[in-house]
Amino acid sequence: MRPIIGISTSIIIDSGGMFPGYHRSYVNRDYVKGVLAAGGVPVMLPMTDDKEAVEAALSLCDGLILSGGQDVNPLCYNQEPHKTLGEVCPERDAFDLDLYRLAREKDMPVLGICRGSQIIAVAEGGTLYQDLSLAETSLKHSQGHSPAMPSHHIHVEEGSKLFDIVKERRICVNSFHHQVINTPGDRMRVTARADDNIIEAIEHKDAKFVLAVQWHPEMMHASDEHMLHIFKALIHHC
Ligand SMILES: [Mn+2]
């Protein structure tokens, strides 16, 4: 049996075409392709505030991917919005935080990507930098070239799940974020940093598999074995 991987989705609002202003549930197709390439069965989990439906939908899944997207509302980690804050979606914050909490209750394997990694940090009591300008950073974390191409290196901690997956202390990742984890929460361990010390991966200390990465492995999985192996590790733990 191939494991069923629930992927959190967002909404996109049509700006033109036949239905301007229309709301669509969506997720970038690379998440779907990444799960399929790694041997899993992807299932899109539509955003809703119907908690019973969220729980029922997740109960059909063996693993969870929290996907990328908007900034996390800083009120979720007891901060006021800084002027550099980007677009937030409080409905999606509640949905993603619910999904993560329910997954943890079952010790379901979870992969958090970009915003998904930030959601995990916040759910675990951590905090974010609302913008990289508020952190001490020297690297460019918003690359201008193809998302399938890496742009900066990260240092991977030996003895971590991420090291078990990539088996290298230094790998190159893509970068599309203006926010980043500040404190990861007590139950989380930092397992990768960029050369400017920015947190690029965290893992749960006790869970079967909770890995959260700041970059976008789904956009690189077709051309970079390390990134495919991240998806394979999630599916293996299911
Ligand atoms: Mn980065």
Side-chain angles (χ1 to χ4, degrees):
M1 285 285 284
R2 292 165 63 180
I4 294 174
I5 307 298
I7 306 171
S8 70
T9 67
S10 187
I11 54 163
I12 193 163
I13 303 172
D14 274 6
S15 56
M18 197 85 96
F19 305 105
Y22 208 66
H23 290 211
R24 299 175 190 267
S25 293
Y26 91 104
V27 72
N28 288 340
R29 196 175 178 194
D30 274 337
Y31 291 97
V32 171
K33 289 182 170 179
V35 170
L36 286 169
V41 176
V43 172
M44 289 167 64
L45 302 174
M47 184 178 80
T48 172
D49 60 3
D50 183 336
K51 290 178 186 296
E52 199 177 69
V54 172
E55 188 164 5
L58 192 67
S59 72
L60 305 173
C61 302
D62 303 301
L64 172 66
I65 292 177
L66 293 171
S67 62
Q70 301 92 334
D71 288 359
V72 180
N73 188 341
L75 294 179
C76 294
Y77 47 97
N78 299 317
Q79 285 185 13
E80 294 300 305
H82 189 266
K83 61 188 175 185
T84 55
L85 180 69
E87 183 192 353
V88 296
C89 180
E91 187 184 0
R92 192 173 177 206
D93 292 336
F95 171 64
D96 283 347
L97 289 167
D98 270 351
L99 280 174
Y100 181 70
R101 178 180 52 77
L102 290 164
R104 286 298 305 126
E105 282 173 14
K106 305 167 192 238
D107 203 13
M108 177 185 282
V110 181
L111 173 61
I113 294 179
C114 197
R115 164 194 164 82
S117 75
Q118 296 164 4
I119 282 283
I120 290 171
V122 168
E124 294 292 350
T127 58
L128 310 179
Y129 288 113
Q130 292 184 41
D131 185 80
L132 277 163
S133 62
L134 302 167
E136 277 186 41
T137 169
S138 53
L139 294 180
K140 183 178 171 80
H141 288 274
S142 300
Q143 72 189 57
H145 55 265
S146 163
M149 302 271 290
S151 78
H152 70 67
H153 287 88
I154 58 169
H155 176 84
V156 181
E157 283 292 317
E158 284 185 62
S160 65
K161 285 197 167 65
L162 184 60
F163 185 82
D164 288 346
I165 294 166
V166 302
K167 298 183 169 57
E168 285 185 46
R169 290 176 57 189
R170 198 163 163 79
I171 64 169
C172 209
V173 300
N174 60 12
S175 203
F176 293 92
H177 56 112
H178 88 100
Q179 296 204 311
V180 71
I181 295 166
N182 179 359
T183 57
D186 291 343
R187 281 169 294 215
M188 304 301 291
R189 166 184 175 200
V190 176
T191 58
R193 290 181 187 271
D195 285 1
D196 59 358
N197 225 30
I198 287 297
I199 294 175
E200 291 274 346
I202 59 173
E203 300 174 15
H204 200 287
K205 291 173 183 169
D206 309 313
K208 187 158 66 177
F209 184 89
V210 173
L211 172 62
V213 299
Q214 183 57 67
W215 71 97
H216 284 275
E218 82 284 4
M219 290 172 157
M220 297 175 71
H221 80 271
S223 55
D224 187 320
E225 285 278 293
H226 291 323
M227 306 308 161
L228 178 61
H229 286 153
I230 290 173
F231 284 88
K232 284 189 170 173
L234 169 71
I235 279 145
H236 169 76
H237 282 89
C238 296

